[in-house]
Amino acid sequence: MNKTLFPQHGANMGQPVPRYEGRAKVTGEARYPSDVRLPRTAYAYLHISRIGRGTVQAFDLAAASAVPGVIDILTHETIGDQIKQTPAIYQGGYASDSFRPLGSAEIAYWGQPVAVVIAETYEAAREAAHRIGVTYGPHSPPAADMDSPDAVAQALVPMAIDVGDFDAAYAAAPIKIDARYSTPAQHQNPMELFATQCMWEGGRLVVHEPSQYVNSVKFGLAEQLGIDPERIRVISTYVGGAFGAKGFLTQRTALVAIAARRIGRPVKLVATREQGFTVSGYRAETRQHVQLAAEQDGRLIALKHEGWELTSRADTVAMGAVSMTTRLYACANIVGRVNAVSADRSTPGFMRAPGEMPYGFALETALDELSSKLDMDPVELRRVNDTRTEPVGGLPYTSRSLMRCFDEAAAAFGWQDRTRQPGSMRDGDWLVGWGCASAFYPTQAGNSAARVRLTADGRVHVSSAGHELGQGMYTMMAQVAAEELGVPIERVTVSLGDSDLPPAVVSGGSAATASVAPAVMAACDAIRRRLGVGNSPPAGVRAAMEASGMGVIEEFAETRAHGLPPESVRDMYRGKALPTGGVSLPDRVQFALGAQFVEVRVHALTHEIRVSRAVGAFAAGRIINPRTAHGQLIGGMIWGISSALHEHTEVDGRNASYINVNLADYLLPVNADIVDIQAIMVPEEDKLVNRAGVKGVGEIGVVGVAAAVSNAVFHATGRRLRDLPIRIEHVM
Ligand code: MOS
């Protein structure tokens, strides 16, 4: 990390404090959930379906049972109804899909768990799982994707947006763009696999599982097992990457929990990389249609954005980000439409900037097409359509620094040297192209609680069931408490990721810091009140503590996010604290915004496509720690390059299976693909969004990059590419 960028100094909010758990992570001391060693552990291995639709007619378990060390085999026949149905989050429940684990003989998607082997060793469990014989009933080919004849499209009427008269305005407009785009299925592929360890202790179940929401797992699992939630504890001290894939309860957890109960021993499951493709949700493929109409000066007259997203038969899941793409620019005539297309696939879910990435790709590419048709600089096109008020509901932005981001990123990038004509910036055999796009992410928060303890020796302990996903949650919570109580950060310790701690929001939607920091602040307020120092400078806390003669003060606080009703606090205590904000508020809209600029080089002879430079500038309210925020932002930008040029989960049309289910065939950028990347944090103060003034940076970095790349490829080659990922064959 660049020393001049982050000089060492104080620990207060806004300072680049080194990672709280950094030493533990680099020394291997940090225990991820699968690292926890439990006595007499048995090992579980999943056997997953090899058809995409049908039924299990019979199992032949003889060969599997004969493998030395096999203890138990779970199938829908052997477990009966030990696991109860629990609704998916899309129906207000806890689960990431509505398939009951080993619920019946029915196969609804390729990769569905159909059996689980429990054995003395991982190797024995794996061997036995491979020896399970499954006879499938007669089955017809599944619908693998949107083109399958029996995929079923359904318009999601509540997501429709209609403002003004799009048809009339579009028909009469002088300049128009009408284009179709597509984005592929993608999988989060966190480095840490989907692991679960379960142990029953005196009627209480302890679950070690990487999670973005330990309380949701606790309450959902209690429903599935039919036991009191207070008999379940879920621990997730560290998470080795989540990106939405570890957000909610998946089928594996209940399977491991009942296996541990059946054999009276701890059971450990680490699903394989391949199985991980269907253990949790994924970014579903989309198709999109964008129509834009503008005046000669670039002002938008009409905008229509319609999306189709793949989903499973059982769950209607759609990210539907037309709710955002229709609110970014001034325009009087707007239509937004969202459609879900059901096929025989596992239920999709959330993946970093779930809707913003694909929908932002389409809108921001269409805007570039418009700028090109107008022969107008694409930055200027955004400027003439900049607005302080979103055009759908007429609500004000709490703050909006989009054009400051464009100006700072453009200056850092050297945009003024761009020549407009496609193909005009050649460098030897390389066709050079420069492109840009807006980045956006809704500012959200959810109800959260925290406990803060101050001891007479000036030490502080912060605890909350928020989660460390790698984003720096431990560090940020320590900074907040250090600042609020005026103690050196070395004196602050933090506990997170345990359902026995004060409940917090799901660590998703870029809302974790914006939600938990206010709770920590409120607990610190309570401590200051106890000491009679009110909201005076925190330097007085230490002296007041000494004078008070108290050995310890401990305070608990819960905070309710703007836009949530009082009764929503109850939901927090039931594992249902979800973030809100963005475009869901009655009085305002809240967005973090940014500008992405990239340089691509396309080789004139081999057509190889490289991203040689990327500059992003982001305004996201208060940055509690620029070091961890910088990591989030460049990580997002790299993922954007990955989305633009590499990632694509390939679906086999014959059985609706995923083909490239490993990190060799699922293409990702390596260091050689990421040359020069710069993230600029544009100062922004927004006192409305939440008490901490935080908008969140977990997801915005990925948004807009793919459009900037495709726009740069157009600038380099004159080829307009509307389907991701962009590969050599598309520029030949
Ligand atoms: Mo994120 S995709 O909201 O974990």
Side-chain angles (χ1 to χ4, degrees):
M1 182 99 356
N2 184 333
K3 272 227 177 81
T4 54
L5 191 59
F6 298 137
Q8 289 300 320
H9 36 45
N12 292 351
M13 286 191 271
Q15 303 303 332
V17 175
R19 189 175 285 275
Y20 174 89
E21 79 287 15
R23 189 181 179 283
K25 280 183 172 168
V26 298
T27 56
E29 231 170 78
R31 295 286 170 89
Y32 290 80
S34 67
D35 296 330
V36 175
R37 285 176 187 247
L38 303 171
R40 299 179 60 238
T41 297
Y43 295 83
Y45 198 98
L46 301 176
H47 178 103
I48 62 176
S49 70
R50 292 296 166 187
I51 61 169
R53 169 164 77 183
T55 53
V56 173
Q57 208 162 56
F59 288 106
D60 179 354
L61 303 181
S65 305
V67 172
V70 169
I71 304 167
D72 195 4
I73 299 178
L74 278 51
T75 68
H76 72 273
E77 291 170 352
T78 63
I79 72 166
D81 58 0
Q82 286 181 44
I83 302 173
K84 293 169 185 44
Q85 179 74 44
T86 183
I89 47 165
Y90 311 101
Q91 285 91 49
Y94 297 104
S96 51
D97 60 48
S98 35
F99 299 103
R100 188 161 72 97
L102 299 183
S104 74
E106 196 194 333
I107 303 298
Y109 61 92
W110 178 90
Q112 181 177 328
V114 295
V116 188
V117 177
I118 315 301
E120 294 292 344
T121 64
Y122 176 79
E123 291 74 15
R126 179 176 59 188
E127 182 177 351
H130 286 294
R131 285 174 187 260
I132 289 176
V134 180
T135 307
Y136 295 107
H139 47 277
S140 50
D145 56 31
M146 292 197 206
D147 293 324
S148 307
D150 52 350
V152 179
Q154 138 185 215
L156 303 181
V157 177
M159 290 188 175
I161 291 168
D162 289 276
V163 176
D165 185 344
F166 172 85
D167 289 335
Y170 187 80
I175 311 281
K176 295 173 205 185
I177 294 294
D178 182 330
R180 290 177 184 271
Y181 305 84
S182 74
T183 62
Q186 296 181 340
H187 279 78
Q188 302 90 342
N189 276 304
M191 286 293 287
E192 178 196 36
L193 296 166
F194 295 98
T196 298
Q197 296 203 68
C198 288
M199 175 168 69
W200 292 85
E201 254 179 341
R204 194 158 194 238
L205 171 63
V206 180
V207 180
H208 297 272
E209 178 174 298
S211 175
Q212 295 171 248
Y213 198 4
V214 287
N215 274 297
S216 180
V217 172
K218 164 180 157 173
F219 283 90
L221 190 57
E223 270 186 20
Q224 287 179 317
L225 301 179
I227 65 173
D228 177 357
E230 293 321 308
R231 286 174 54 202
I232 298 178
R233 179 179 181 191
V234 181
I235 302 173
S236 177
T237 313
Y238 299 106
V239 182
F243 317 116
K246 293 167 183 169
F248 297 97
L249 182 69
T250 65
Q251 295 172 47
R252 74 186 193 274
T253 310
L255 294 171
V256 179
I258 64 157
R261 191 169 62 191
R262 283 160 66 96
I263 69 166
R265 289 168 60 179
V267 173
K268 173 176 181 171
L269 169 77
V270 180
T272 65
R273 176 65 60 190
E274 171 182 357
Q275 292 166 351
F277 275 69
T278 44
V279 160
S280 188
Y282 55 97
R283 193 194 298 286
E285 55 264 47
T286 76
R287 303 245 168 105
Q288 297 175 63
H289 183 200
V290 180
Q291 290 171 283
L292 301 176
E295 303 282 10
Q296 297 286 357
D297 64 4
R299 276 179 301 139
L300 287 170
I301 303 167
L303 182 158
K304 180 173 181 178
H305 194 170
E306 178 161 17
W308 290 260
E309 301 181 40
L310 189 109
T311 189
S312 65
R313 299 276 189 208
D315 295 297
T316 302
V317 178
M319 300 301 143
V322 300
S323 62
M324 289 173 248
T325 55
T326 55
R327 285 175 164 92
L328 294 175
Y329 303 107
C331 185
N333 304 286
I334 299 173
V335 169
R337 293 283 184 271
V338 182
N339 307 275
V341 184
S342 306
D344 299 305
R345 292 265 299 276
S346 55
T347 296
F350 306 102
M351 175 164 156
R352 205 173 195 178
E356 298 76 8
M357 195 294 281
Y359 284 82
F361 166 68
L363 177 72
E364 293 295 317
T365 307
L367 280 172
D368 200 74
E369 301 194 40
L370 179 61
S371 72
S372 157
K373 200 163 199 176
L374 291 161
D375 194 25
M376 182 175 187
D377 184 283
V379 177
E380 290 316 302
L381 179 63
R382 271 82 178 178
R383 199 182 311 278
V384 300
N385 290 295
D386 196 22
T387 179
R388 314 302 301 180
T389 307
E390 59 87 5
V392 174
L395 301 176
Y397 276 78
T398 54
S399 58
R400 178 171 163 119
S401 309
L402 180 67
M403 294 322 298
R404 272 196 68 195
C405 292
F406 267 100
D407 291 342
E408 291 211 21
F413 188 85
W415 183 255
Q416 71 281 356
D417 296 331
R418 180 180 187 259
T419 55
R420 201 164 297 167
Q421 198 55 35
S424 64
M425 290 178 67
R426 196 170 171 134
D427 177 9
D429 282 342
W430 292 95
L431 305 171
V432 177
W434 290 1
C436 67
S438 298
F440 57 93
Y441 196 84
T443 300
Q444 308 185 94
N447 299 339
S448 290
R451 184 175 286 122
V452 177
R453 188 178 66 223
L454 172 68
T455 42
D457 59 0
R459 281 183 299 146
V460 172
H461 185 72
V462 180
S463 55
S464 167
H467 312 82
E468 175 62 59
L469 310 179
Q471 84 279 46
M473 195 70 172
Y474 283 109
T475 318
M476 291 183 283
M477 294 310 116
Q479 284 177 270
V480 172
E483 169 140 340
E484 293 290 316
L485 296 176
V487 300
I489 195 154
E490 298 74 26
R491 308 288 279 167
V492 185
T493 51
V494 183
S495 298
L496 295 172
D498 182 338
S499 63
D500 278 1
L501 299 175
V505 71
V506 58
S507 290
S510 298
T513 304
S515 308
V516 185
V520 174
M521 290 171 156
C524 293
D525 287 347
I527 289 177
R528 286 197 306 260
R529 273 197 305 273
R530 284 273 299 277
L531 289 169
V533 292
N535 285 326
S536 65
V541 169
R542 183 78 200 270
M545 186 69 184
E546 275 166 17
S548 74
M550 284 189 273
V552 56
I553 300 181
E554 184 168 289
E555 289 290 350
F556 172 93
E558 56 186 33
T559 47
R560 179 156 57 92
H562 177 75
L564 290 173
E567 58 273 19
S568 68
V569 174
R570 260 202 339 254
D571 293 337
M572 175 179 76
Y573 290 97
R574 295 194 301 230
K576 291 185 175 177
L578 300 177
T580 190
V583 297
S584 308
L585 302 172
D587 55 339
R588 66 202 201 196
V589 293
Q590 311 179 150
F591 275 94
L593 294 160
Q596 308 272 16
F597 287 73
V598 303
E599 174 181 282
V600 301
R601 291 173 170 252
V602 180
H603 198 274
L605 305 173
T606 66
H607 307 289
E608 180 184 356
I609 309 164
R610 314 287 302 180
V611 172
S612 43
R613 287 197 296 136
V615 176
F618 307 92
R622 183 185 206 160
I623 301 297
I624 289 189
N625 187 325
R627 184 190 298 261
T628 53
H630 180 257
Q632 289 283 77
L633 292 169
I634 62 168
M637 292 171 71
I638 290 166
W639 206 332
I641 293 170
S642 183
S643 275
L645 300 180
H646 303 274
E647 282 182 69
H648 181 184
T649 303
E650 310 271 357
V651 183
D652 188 331
R654 294 166 302 178
N655 56 5
S657 68
Y658 299 127
I659 298 169
N660 49 341
V661 287
N662 56 70
L663 293 186
D665 296 317
Y666 185 90
L667 299 184
L668 299 165
V670 297
N671 277 351
D673 295 307
I674 307 301
V675 181
D676 180 354
I677 191 154
Q678 188 185 352
I680 299 166
M681 285 168 260
V682 174
E684 184 183 64
E685 186 174 79
D686 188 327
K687 289 187 167 146
L688 286 172
V689 281
N690 50 65
R691 178 174 167 190
V694 168
K695 288 187 171 178
V697 293
E699 292 165 271
I700 188 171
V702 73
V703 183
V705 177
V709 170
S710 105
N711 299 340
V713 168
F714 173 77
H715 185 233
T717 65
R719 289 283 193 93
R720 183 58 73 179
L721 299 174
R722 304 184 180 95
D723 305 292
L724 295 182
I726 296 166
R727 291 200 173 147
I728 286 181
E729 56 268 33
H730 305 132
V731 293
M732 302 227 320

